[in-house]
Amino acid sequence: MAASKSAAAGVLAALEQRLLPELQRRGFEAAPLDAQDRRDPGIRAAFPFGRHRRRTPQGYDQIEIQIDKRDGVGFRLNFASFPLDGIVHAAGPVAAEDMWVHYLPAYCTLYRRPLLRTWFAPQRPLWGGDAPDATVAVDEAVALLPEIDAYFVAGTIGAHLRRV
C-alpha cells in the first residue's frame, strides 16, 4: 500500500533535520544532483539529497540516502570509498564527481535488518492509533552511523551492514 504524500514529506523532513547534520558533523559535504540527474524523475525521487562525500587521503567516502520507490517513506544508506580520480566502469571512465556507489563492484548498505533487507521506515501501528513518527526511524539510522564509520576506518561489516 502506498504511503501518503504527507508521510513521505515527513520522512524527507526528518532526514533533512536529523541525518544530514550528522553526516555534515562527520565531514561529509553535499554533492547535489547534476542537471542530467535532476531531469530524471526516478533519480530525483530515489536520491532527493544527492550524494554526500568527504575527501580522504586515499580518495572519497560517499554516502547516498536512497528513498524506497515503492512507498516513498522507506530509506536506506548506500556507501563506499573510491579513488580521487574515479574508476573505470564497464561503460567507460567515471570521474569522482560523477560517482554513484552502485558503479563499484562492491559497496555496502545500512539496513534496519540486513538479513531481510528491511529498509528504515516509520512503523505503522498494528491496531490503529497515532500516525507513525518518521523521526523514530531516522534516529534509528543515525544511531547506527558508527557502523558506517567503522567500515570506512577498518572495513568492519557491522550487524546492520550488508555488502552488495
Side-chain angles (χ1 to χ4, degrees), residues 23 26 28 52-54 56 58 60-64 78-82 101 108 145-157 161:
L23 295 180
R26 286 170 160 77
F28 287 88
H52 293 79
R53 61 175 67 118
R54 68 180 170 200
T56 69
Q58 298 78 28
Y60 291 97
D61 293 338
Q62 183 162 297
I63 297 176
E64 302 162 0
N78 304 317
F79 58 96
S81 298
F82 53 87
V101 299
C108 287
L145 288 176
E147 290 189 34
I148 295 177
D149 296 336
Y151 175 81
F152 282 137
V153 170
T156 305
I157 303 293
L161 305 185

Side-chain angles (χ1 to χ4, degrees), residues 53-122:
R53 61 175 67 118
R54 68 180 170 200
R55 190 162 179 176
T56 69
Q58 298 78 28
Y60 291 97
D61 293 338
Q62 183 162 297
I63 297 176
E64 302 162 0
I65 304 165
Q66 183 177 0
I67 305 299
D68 190 342
K69 66 182 175 185
R70 294 170 294 176
D71 64 12
V73 298
F75 67 94
R76 66 184 185 178
L77 305 181
N78 304 317
F79 58 96
S81 298
F82 53 87
L84 290 171
D85 53 352
I87 64 164
V88 177
H89 186 267
V94 180
E97 60 269 12
D98 298 326
M99 280 292 299
W100 289 94
V101 299
H102 67 268
Y103 292 172
L104 296 165
Y107 63 93
C108 287
T109 299
L110 178 72
Y111 285 105
R112 175 176 270 152
R113 288 183 215 70
L115 186 62
L116 301 173
R117 298 183 187 164
T118 305
W119 294 42
F120 296 93

Side-chain angles (χ1 to χ4, degrees), residues 128-146:
D130 295 333
D133 183 358
T135 62
V136 174
V138 174
D139 287 347
E140 186 178 355
V142 168
L144 296 174
L145 288 176

